[in-house]
Amino acid sequence: MDTRLRYQEIIKTLLQEHANYRAAIPDGYNSQVLFDDERGSYLVLDIGWNEAKYLHATPIHINLIGDKIWIQYDDTAEGVATDLLAAGIPKEDIVLGFRHPHVRQYTEFGTGLSGKDEGNIAESAAVRSA
């Protein structure tokens, strides 16, 4: 199985587990998982009413761009990246998309940039700090 297909299955399984957990919380909200394999988009959507309060929120948003998993938004306690690592995804294949590109190089995860772009960011950061 190629990397992209394997990552799609891991993402879908992980998000379904999160949605099942969230749906079990007795708050009146329903959790749905939305997949678009063709465009590499994956979401958990919380929706519903809790008495007079309406909720429509996306606690998890992931994109599969090339062979990298981009976490665009993560409102979970432990972090989706932790779950991806536990599923065997290498750190360099996980990009924290919600972090500014200039900050990503200082995380333990992938940057989502080419080697040339990473070098330019590191060089400009060094110039700014001098």
Side-chain angles (χ1 to χ4, degrees):
M1 175 182 284
D2 84 345
T3 301
R4 186 171 177 90
L5 291 176
R6 185 169 78 81
Y7 285 3
Q8 285 175 347
E9 292 307 312
I10 290 170
I11 292 167
K12 290 190 276 189
T13 299
L14 180 129
L15 294 187
Q16 189 61 60
E17 290 170 1
H18 276 276
N20 291 345
Y21 170 78
R22 297 175 82 83
I25 298 170
D27 57 7
Y29 302 126
N30 183 32
S31 290
Q32 302 173 11
V33 181
L34 306 172
F35 304 146
D36 182 349
D37 286 331
E38 184 178 326
R39 291 172 190 81
S41 293
Y42 307 88
L43 304 169
V44 172
L45 174 67
D46 288 345
I47 189 168
W49 288 93
N50 184 344
E51 297 182 18
K53 184 177 179 188
Y54 182 71
L55 177 72
H56 185 277
T58 307
I60 305 171
H61 176 187
I62 294 176
N63 287 114
L64 188 54
I65 301 172
D67 286 338
K68 304 283 185 196
I69 297 173
W70 286 66
I71 302 172
Q72 304 293 11
Y73 189 78
D74 181 2
D75 187 27
T76 64
E78 297 296 321
V80 173
T82 303
D83 297 330
L84 292 169
L85 291 171
I89 307 295
K91 289 180 181 181
E92 61 271 9
D93 285 357
I94 301 169
V95 178
L96 305 179
F98 56 87
R99 297 281 183 228
H100 191 280
H102 293 283
V103 175
R104 289 185 205 140
Q105 64 183 323
Y106 303 111
T107 70
E108 58 190 90
F109 298 100
T111 62
L113 304 170
S114 69
K116 178 183 171 193
D117 293 333
E118 289 177 23
N120 290 339
I121 287 173
E123 184 178 306
S124 74
V127 168
R128 279 193 306 272
S129 66

